[in-house]
Amino acid sequence: MQYWLVKSEPNEYGWDDLQKKGEDIWDGIRNFQARNYLKAMKLGDPVLFYHSGKSKEVIGVAEVTEEAFPDPNDKEGKGWVAVKLKPKASLSHPINLEQIKANDLLNTMPLVKQSRLSVMPIEKIQFELIVKSSS
């Protein structure tokens, strides 16, 4: 099992949107490294959902419900992929970027080092610490 973090602007597609749908396609990724991470996601992998933009915080936990398949919006057939995600739980207390940067176990996350990347792997201990810190 691997652990992941996905990022989205809440005004474009936020945690509330995923919760309302119950399950949805995570598509539109047009970065090669992020695409490779989507391809590596496996059924049941846990995913932190991060709101970028103004709020900059981990807001919920989802899981992968369908592994990589061709992105239906890839009209040029360039090999972009998507996965399906299902929301599992909202965090009681969202964990913001400043809290992540201030924690020695979290400040090495790709979220801090590669801030423009929208899909990234994280360590199990980082996932667990964020979830635990939010309760």
Side-chain angles (χ1 to χ4, degrees):
M1 176 179 296
Q2 293 184 309
Y3 296 81
W4 305 96
L5 183 141
V6 297
K7 292 170 43 180
S8 184
E9 292 269 352
N11 59 335
E12 291 178 23
Y13 188 94
W15 177 246
D16 289 342
D17 297 308
L18 182 59
Q19 286 189 301
K20 285 176 190 167
K21 294 213 173 189
E23 180 182 60
D24 205 4
I25 296 174
W26 195 260
D27 61 357
I29 304 302
R30 298 296 183 263
N31 172 285
F32 291 107
Q33 187 175 15
R35 179 202 60 192
N36 292 341
Y37 289 144
L38 286 175
K39 287 181 174 183
M41 288 180 162
K42 300 296 179 203
L43 189 65
D45 280 355
V47 180
L48 293 177
F49 195 106
Y50 180 86
H51 277 170
S52 55
K54 290 183 181 181
S55 61
K56 293 181 177 60
E57 60 189 3
V58 178
I59 193 86
V61 178
E63 79 174 354
V64 176
T65 56
E66 188 174 334
E67 295 179 13
F69 56 89
D71 185 332
N73 296 310
D74 181 8
K75 304 302 182 202
E76 291 101 32
K78 294 191 175 191
W80 299 113
V81 298
V83 297
K84 277 193 181 175
L85 298 179
K86 176 181 179 180
K88 296 300 285 180
S90 297
L91 297 187
S92 301
H93 303 286
I95 305 300
N96 67 42
L97 184 58
E98 292 308 313
Q99 291 170 286
I100 290 169
K101 287 181 176 179
N103 186 300
D104 288 341
L105 289 175
L106 300 177
N107 64 18
T108 58
M109 291 171 56
L111 177 65
V112 176
K113 305 292 183 189
Q114 295 176 282
S115 62
R116 307 253 327 136
L117 199 56
S118 60
V119 177
M120 61 197 71
I122 61 172
E123 306 270 337
K124 178 181 180 183
I125 192 167
Q126 294 169 328
F127 179 91
E128 290 172 345
L129 181 58
I130 288 172
V131 171
K132 182 181 175 187
S133 298
S134 75
S135 43

